[in-house]
């Protein structure tokens, strides 16, 4: 076993003589099988994840659920919010008790149980047993159906309780627990397989890890989403459930080639102890005159009269410096998650090619219907094409010339592109509403539901998806790389969990903003004429609001990132001077 490996690490025998052989020609030499197992398991897991999220709005809008547009959009936003908020718990569980491997394996089982809910909900017989009979629509007063004015204050517009809501949310919650715990551990677990090969191996692993995520997304969106919209949601949910089961088996069988580490204590536990001591414990009255006055956290160090080693306190200080970057990414995630919610809702009200009309088509005629969720593939396909180009051509050229930007600069570029994605969506929605008001709507049938769409081709959504795809290549990949590389070794799972935690906050912010703009006083997303309709809403204002928030955050982030890079550069030069001396 190589000398630089931890004593408690379990390493496959194929690397046992790595200290005696010459440098391998590839950074993945001897680790390809382990990396391949992780990447395959992740691709299949993504098929399952996007099998749930890509058409969830359409599923809840359609018969027999008929959730309102706002309710159907909030469900995936809340689901993704919980998914990411759970991530720190997953990191803590792995570090404190189970280790990354067994945490991932047990989470995939929980994930699988949650996935089983949806085939049962999609089947009429089992759904009635779980949810009861379908709830009738409430009778609306005439004032609620007016398109030209808001209802008087003394008129109450009844809202239909979401049918099967508790069961749907229970299934989503179990899936969220599994996904969140897997997310916080599988990324650092994969990076652990090549961590001794240097930062170049880590950077390339993250590139290909993200490539496989989007490969799974394309397989799910290309096949599963089409089946769900045009054939059967029941079959469309059985397929991703089976894929998740295969993912679990691949990961379990990969244990023989994985580098694994046992649980060696949670960074979160130490973090809260240090914070408690620094804030609440009494400090020595007479500090050492030879030392500078300690900061709040330095007061917890043994050398300043505290009871914690300097290394542990310095790790917490490193975390504190990283948090502003994570906070600045919240608006980015808020816009990003619109791709699977309000962007889908918008696409359902645009003209979709080869969609059967309710007045001319035979309901039994086999007609190809372009799935609305397929537009999400523009984002994924773009990533599949550009990541290999970036990894093999662009990055090596920039690195040789000393021009490879830092991860924070790449995040800022991603924020710029995601802001323009929201602007593009807002401009398109403005035009769509103008066409609806001037030319009326066309009827199109999707998932056995009639949508009243504008006579404007869905292809006009492509720019907003392309912009969000470009933003991912910069911001999301660089964010993963930053979270892993900036974290002290003992806190990598914890900080990766916090990275996803703040992603979840971004999703909840989007859901909260939707709820705020839906209240009667604002009325941007209030429509009682049709339970999936947005033609009487002002969704474009919501998109422009998101773009404005992201633009302000980008300016703040540029200031934060410049300061962080300078501090990191000074710390690096100080370490070099200390080493040379």
């Amino acid at each position: 076993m190589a000398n630089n490996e931890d004593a408690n690490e379990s390493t496959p025998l194929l690397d046992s003589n790595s200290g005696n052989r010459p440098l391998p020609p590839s950074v993945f030499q001897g680790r390809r099988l382990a990396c391949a197992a992780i990447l395959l398991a992740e691709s299949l897991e993504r098929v399952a994840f996007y099998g749930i999220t890509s058409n969830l709005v359409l599923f809840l809008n359609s018969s027999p659920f008929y959730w309102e547009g706002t309710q159907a959009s909030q469900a995936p936003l809340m689901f993704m919010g919980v998914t990411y908020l759970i991530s720190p718990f997953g990191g803590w569980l792995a570090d404190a008790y189970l280790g990354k491997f067994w945490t991932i394996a047990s989470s995939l089982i929980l994930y699988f149980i949650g996935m089983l809910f949806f085939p049962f909900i999609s089947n009429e017989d089992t759904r009635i047993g779980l949810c009861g009979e379908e709830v009738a629509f409430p009778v609306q007063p005439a004032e609620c159906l007016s398109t030209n004015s808001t209802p008087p204050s003394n008129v109450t517009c009844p809202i239909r309780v979401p049918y099967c809501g508790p069961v749907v949310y229970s299934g989503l919650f179990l899936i969220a627990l599994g996904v969140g715990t897997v997310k916080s551990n599988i990324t650092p677990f994969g990076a652990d397989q090549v961590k001794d090969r240097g930062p170049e191996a880590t950077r390339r692993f993250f590139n290909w890890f993200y490539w496989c995520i989007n490969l799974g997304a394309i397989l799910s969106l290309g096949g599963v989403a089409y089946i769900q919209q045009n054939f059967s949601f029941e079959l469309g949910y059985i397929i991703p459930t089976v894929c998740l089961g295969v993912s679990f088996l691949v990961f379990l069988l990969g244990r023989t080639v994985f580098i694994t580490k046992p649980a060696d204590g949670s960074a979160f536990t130490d973090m809260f102890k240090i914070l408690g001591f620094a804030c609440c414990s009494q400090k020595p009255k007479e500090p050492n005159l030879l030392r500078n006055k300690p900061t709040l956290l330095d007061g917890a160090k043994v050398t300043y009269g505290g009871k914690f080693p300097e290394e542990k306190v310095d790790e917490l200080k490193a975390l504190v410096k990283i948090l502003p970057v994570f906070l600045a990414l919240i608006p980015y995630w808020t816009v990003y998650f619109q791709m699977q919610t309000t962007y889908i809702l918008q696409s359902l009200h645009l003209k979709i090619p080869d969609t059967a009309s309710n007045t001319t088509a035979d309901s039994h005629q086999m007609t190809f219907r372009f799935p609305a969720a397929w537009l999400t593939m523009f984002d994924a396909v773009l990533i599949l094409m550009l990541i290999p180009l970036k990894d093999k051509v662009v990055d090596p050229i920039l690195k040789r010339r000393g021009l490879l930007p830092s991860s924070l600069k790449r995040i800022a570029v991603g924020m710029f592109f995601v802001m323009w994605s929201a602007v593009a969506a807002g401009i398109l929605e403005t035009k769509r509403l103008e066409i609806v008001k001037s030319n009326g709507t066309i009827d199109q049938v999707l998932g056995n539901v009639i949508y009243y769409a504008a006579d404007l081709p869905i292809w006009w959504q492509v720019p907003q998806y392309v912009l969000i795809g470009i933003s991912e290549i910069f911001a999301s990949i660089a964010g993963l790389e930053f979270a892993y590389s900036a974290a002290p070794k003992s806190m990598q799972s914890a900080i990766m969990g916090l990275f996803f935690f703040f992603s979840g906050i971004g999703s909840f912010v989007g859901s909260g903003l939707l709820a705020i703009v839906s209240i009667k006083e604002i009325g941007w997303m209030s429509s009682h004429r049709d339970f999936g309709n947005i033609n009487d809403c002002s969704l474009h204002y919501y998109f422009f609001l998101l773009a404005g928030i992201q633009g302000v955050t980008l300016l703040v982030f540029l200031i934060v990132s410049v300061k962080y890079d300078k501090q990191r550069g000074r710390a690096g030069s100080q370490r070099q001077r200390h080493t040379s001396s």
Side-chain angles (χ1 to χ4, degrees), residues 310 314 569-581:
E310 289 200 20
D314 288 339
R570 283 198 298 267
S573 60
Q574 287 174 359
R575 281 195 299 270
Q576 284 183 343
R577 285 199 298 269
H578 178 74
T579 304
S580 59
S581 61

Side-chain angles (χ1 to χ4, degrees), residues 338-542:
Q338 304 309 311
M339 181 172 60
Q340 293 155 349
T341 53
T342 53
Y343 283 14
I344 296 290
L345 195 61
Q346 184 186 51
S347 70
L348 296 174
H349 293 81
L350 292 167
K351 184 179 179 181
I352 298 177
D354 297 315
T355 302
S357 169
N358 70 329
T359 59
T360 62
D362 181 356
S363 60
H364 298 287
Q365 182 182 358
M366 291 297 293
T367 305
F368 174 81
R369 295 174 176 87
F370 180 89
W374 273 14
L375 278 179
T376 312
M377 287 199 298
F378 282 98
D379 160 69
V381 169
L382 191 69
I383 290 171
L384 284 182
M385 292 189 302
L386 292 185
I387 283 181
L389 180 67
K390 177 178 179 292
D391 182 69
K392 298 290 187 180
V393 180
V394 178
D395 283 356
I397 292 174
L398 293 176
K399 187 178 179 182
R400 283 196 299 269
R401 298 182 180 182
L403 299 175
L404 189 65
S406 69
S407 55
L408 292 182
K409 289 186 176 68
R410 282 177 274 152
I411 291 172
V413 174
M415 288 180 171
F416 176 80
F417 280 107
V418 87
M419 176 185 70
W420 282 104
S421 175
V423 171
I427 293 172
L428 175 62
E429 183 63 13
T430 302
K431 183 64 178 176
R432 194 191 69 81
L433 291 175
E434 288 177 1
I435 292 174
V436 167
K437 289 175 182 176
S438 61
N439 301 336
T441 61
I442 58 174
D443 296 353
Q444 58 185 11
V445 180
L446 298 168
N448 299 318
V449 176
I450 299 173
Y451 285 90
Y452 306 112
D455 191 8
L456 183 66
I458 196 174
W459 309 120
W460 286 104
Q461 273 197 314
V462 171
Q464 66 204 54
Y465 281 100
V466 168
L467 286 166
I468 224 168
I470 295 172
S471 81
E472 273 194 87
I473 293 171
F474 286 99
S476 194
I477 297 175
L480 287 172
E481 183 184 335
F482 172 80
Y484 186 82
S485 61
K489 286 185 178 180
S490 66
M491 298 185 75
Q492 282 168 344
S493 282
I495 289 182
M496 195 64 70
L498 285 174
F499 173 78
F500 291 119
F501 175 84
F502 284 101
S503 305
I505 292 178
S507 185
F508 273 117
V509 168
S511 178
L513 285 174
L514 267 179
I516 291 171
V517 300
S518 297
I519 61 177
K520 188 167 63 175
E521 289 75 13
I522 298 175
W524 291 359
M525 289 295 291
S526 297
S527 174
H528 298 280
R529 285 168 51 82
D530 165 21
F531 286 86
N533 180 46
I534 59 170
N535 293 327
D536 300 326
C537 300
S538 301
L539 185 59
H540 55 310
Y541 292 155
Y542 177 69

Side-chain angles (χ1 to χ4, degrees), residues 111-293:
Y111 190 167
F112 184 77
I113 294 171
M115 289 289 296
L116 288 174
F117 272 65
F118 285 85
F120 287 122
I121 294 172
S122 305
N123 180 278
E124 184 177 358
D125 296 332
T126 52
R127 180 181 62 248
I128 292 174
L130 289 170
C131 309
E133 295 291 341
E134 182 183 349
V135 180
F137 285 91
V139 177
Q140 297 285 343
E143 293 84 354
C144 297
L145 302 176
S146 174
T147 59
N148 299 321
S149 61
T150 56
S153 58
N154 61 340
V155 174
T156 301
C157 298
I159 298 175
R160 180 176 183 259
V161 177
Y163 173 55
C164 212
V167 180
V168 169
Y169 275 112
S170 296
L172 289 176
F173 181 71
L174 287 175
I175 295 172
L177 286 177
V179 175
T181 309
V182 169
K183 264 188 173 295
S184 62
N185 288 291
I186 197 165
T187 312
F189 182 71
D192 284 347
Q193 309 306 310
V194 295
K195 70 175 182 179
D196 59 333
R197 304 296 173 87
E200 174 70 9
T202 302
R203 181 189 63 79
R204 292 191 62 191
F205 173 80
F206 281 127
N207 279 343
W208 289 108
F209 183 82
Y210 215 79
W211 190 88
C212 287
I213 286 175
N214 284 276
L215 176 63
I218 286 178
L219 294 174
S220 186
L221 293 167
V224 176
Y226 177 78
I227 291 169
Q228 289 172 344
Q229 178 173 307
N230 293 295
F231 291 97
S232 162
F233 269 105
E234 184 179 358
L235 178 61
Y237 283 135
I238 289 173
I239 293 171
T241 304
V242 171
C243 286
L244 186 67
V246 176
S247 174
F248 171 73
L249 292 176
V250 168
F251 186 78
L252 203 62
L253 294 173
R255 187 169 181 239
T256 56
V257 294
F258 289 152
I259 296 174
T260 59
K261 289 175 62 178
D264 55 359
S266 168
F268 281 121
T269 304
D270 294 335
M271 180 177 69
F272 287 119
K273 287 180 180 178
I274 293 170
L275 285 172
F277 183 89
C279 296
C280 305
S281 297
Q282 193 171 9
K283 309 298 184 298
K285 294 182 180 179
E286 297 182 2
N288 191 333
L289 298 177
L290 297 177
R291 288 182 174 271
N292 296 325
K293 186 177 179 180

